[in-house]
Amino acid sequence: MNEKLIFLDIDGTLTKPGYNIPPASALEAIRKAQSNGHKVFLCSGRNQAMLRPLLQYQFDGYVASAGGYVVCDGEVIFDRPMKPEVFRLAMDVFGRNHVFRTVECLDGTYGDSGLEDLLDGADEYSNSELLRFRRQLSQTLDIRPMREYNGAPVYKIVFMCTDRSQLDEPMEVLREHFVFCVQNLEAVGCLNGEVFGLDFNKGIGIRKLCKHLGKDISDTIGFGDSMNDKEMFEAVGYSVCMDNGHPAMKKMADYVCPAVGDDGLYKAFEKLGLI
């Protein structure tokens, strides 16, 4: 088998949403794949600060901030934050429509007050990104108050609201600047999603890594579970969705493997001949 570049989403794929400790079976699969000559990268909507606890597991690099910041073997090969004027435009239009905002810089994440109340309805049937944010607020990944935001470059804005009509004006005003990735969660009375620049996404980050390493895109495999993995699935040579993933992503994937809590990554690596 040709040496592959393997890309792993974190929340809902490598780990249970909002956690930083992968199953032992996943770590075993990653080590075995690397020993067979494959390279394994994180590919996440998380910023660098939120994925840092996972770097102890010695990945070959990462696509962070939904593709806005890409690192290979310790070298930054792509760095594309939002333009300040576009960031301000987005914050204004979300704010006047009473949409909760979380802004992600490289080394910090800042959220509007009141997010905790909005997330009370999230449970195991919610998408992995919503569950991740509920856990971040309560325990692990440290979303700080928006008043502490210090003007650092922003790579992504996560939004949450209770009615789709709140997104009408933001989507109209911002469509020339951003990709909207919306998770529809009427069952828990909440919609959430994220916006990131038109000039980067997970798929573009993967292509940057392929070019940097001189690898063909056909030698890439992407693992994910939620709608923010769409561009990754479109880019890679072979796509794998976790059984706990979004129904639309399952339809899009080349293969659906067992859930993250059912040793899904190990079983998929084994089936694909990576280990």
Side-chain angles (χ1 to χ4, degrees):
M1 174 187 284
N2 291 343
E3 294 178 357
K4 301 294 186 181
L5 304 184
I6 302 165
F7 295 90
L8 304 178
D9 173 56
I10 298 174
D11 296 283
T13 301
L14 175 63
T15 71
K16 291 183 178 181
Y19 287 88
N20 287 320
I21 301 176
S25 62
L27 295 176
E28 182 182 357
I30 291 164
R31 296 290 84 78
K32 286 183 176 180
Q34 289 173 321
S35 69
N36 285 338
H38 307 297
K39 287 184 175 290
V40 184
F41 299 88
L42 297 173
C43 190
S44 178
R46 290 191 189 190
N47 59 9
Q48 181 177 250
M50 289 189 287
L51 63 78
R52 189 173 287 130
L54 289 155
L55 299 184
Q56 63 178 301
Y57 300 114
Q58 299 180 343
F59 293 93
D60 295 290
Y62 50 89
V63 177
S65 296
Y69 192 75
V70 182
V71 174
C72 182
D73 296 322
E75 177 186 356
V76 178
I77 65 168
F78 186 68
D79 185 2
R80 189 66 57 84
M82 294 179 184
K83 295 178 181 178
E85 63 273 19
V86 175
F87 167 65
R88 290 193 294 268
L89 175 67
M91 292 296 281
D92 287 346
V93 71
F94 280 133
R96 66 174 173 260
N97 283 278
H98 308 290
V99 175
F100 290 94
R101 308 155 302 179
T102 302
V103 301
E104 297 187 10
C105 310
L106 278 186
D107 295 315
T109 304
Y110 307 86
D112 286 323
S113 61
L115 283 173
E116 296 92 338
D117 295 335
L118 195 64
L119 296 179
D120 275 348
D123 58 22
E124 68 269 23
Y125 301 105
S126 304
N127 72 71
S128 62
E129 296 304 308
L130 190 67
L131 289 169
R132 172 170 70 91
F133 269 87
R134 187 176 71 172
R135 185 162 296 280
Q136 282 173 265
L137 285 167
S138 63
Q139 296 179 28
T140 57
L141 296 179
D142 188 26
I143 296 179
R144 285 137 60 186
M146 189 69 77
R147 64 179 180 274
E148 295 182 14
Y149 171 62
N150 60 5
V154 172
Y155 290 76
K156 190 178 73 172
I157 301 173
V158 174
F159 59 84
M160 299 179 197
C161 59
T162 56
D163 193 294
R164 182 168 286 274
S165 65
Q166 293 172 262
L167 299 179
D168 289 345
E169 185 187 10
M171 293 184 79
E172 175 65 25
V173 170
L174 300 176
R175 64 182 179 179
E176 295 182 4
H177 304 287
F178 294 109
V179 173
F180 271 75
C181 176
V182 182
Q183 307 275 3
N184 204 342
L185 295 168
E186 281 90 348
V188 294
C190 175
L191 293 93
N192 84 298
E194 57 194 40
V195 293
F196 45 84
L198 294 172
D199 53 353
F200 69 82
N201 57 50
K202 287 186 176 183
I204 290 173
I206 288 168
R207 292 187 182 96
K208 296 283 184 185
L209 271 167
C210 285
K211 182 177 180 180
H212 179 74
L213 293 170
K215 295 288 288 184
D216 192 275
I217 195 72
S218 64
D219 286 324
T220 58
I221 303 173
F223 291 77
D225 73 296
S226 69
M227 292 304 295
N228 70 0
D229 296 312
K230 177 176 179 290
E231 288 80 9
M232 174 172 66
F233 278 18
E234 291 172 340
V236 294
Y238 193 86
S239 57
V240 181
C241 186
M242 313 304 290
D243 192 50
N244 52 273
H246 192 287
M249 300 307 297
K250 291 183 181 181
K251 290 180 181 179
M252 186 177 180
D254 294 305
Y255 168 56
V256 177
C257 73
V260 58
D262 189 27
D263 299 324
L265 282 185
Y266 189 94
K267 292 174 181 176
F269 275 40
E270 194 171 45
K271 178 180 174 64
L272 297 176
L274 300 169
I275 58 178

